[in-house]
Amino acid sequence: GPSGLGVIKDKVQSYKWTRISSAHGNANAGELIKIVEERMNPLLRAEAHVKARRWIASHNSCGDTCG
């Protein structure tokens, strides 16, 4: 049924946020990325990767507010 669509979106979001976490230095994120990738087909993985890259790029310039 339609409830299955949410699972796909959750995988994309999970991958996106794990990639973002990795980009910000989370040492455990690399292992989590592998786990999430194993559960995704190549098209979903590509979509999630693009979303993560876009988010990181759009939030990368924080000026003087960076630590």
Side-chain angles (χ1 to χ4, degrees):
S3 62
L5 295 175
V7 174
I8 292 171
K9 185 175 182 179
D10 287 347
K11 286 181 183 178
V12 170
Q13 289 298 315
S14 177
Y15 183 87
K16 178 181 108 174
W17 288 110
T18 305
R19 295 286 304 190
I20 291 165
S21 180
S22 177
H24 286 279
N26 183 330
N28 297 321
E31 192 62 34
L32 291 173
I33 290 169
K34 290 178 189 175
I35 293 168
V36 175
E37 281 181 340
E38 289 173 0
R39 298 177 181 182
M40 299 173 77
N41 68 46
L43 288 176
L44 280 180
R45 198 166 38 240
E47 176 187 348
H49 187 72
V50 167
K51 288 183 180 210
R53 285 179 47 194
R54 285 182 183 161
W55 191 97
I56 292 166
S58 70
H59 292 82
N60 206 19
S61 58
C62 53
D64 294 334
T65 62
C66 291

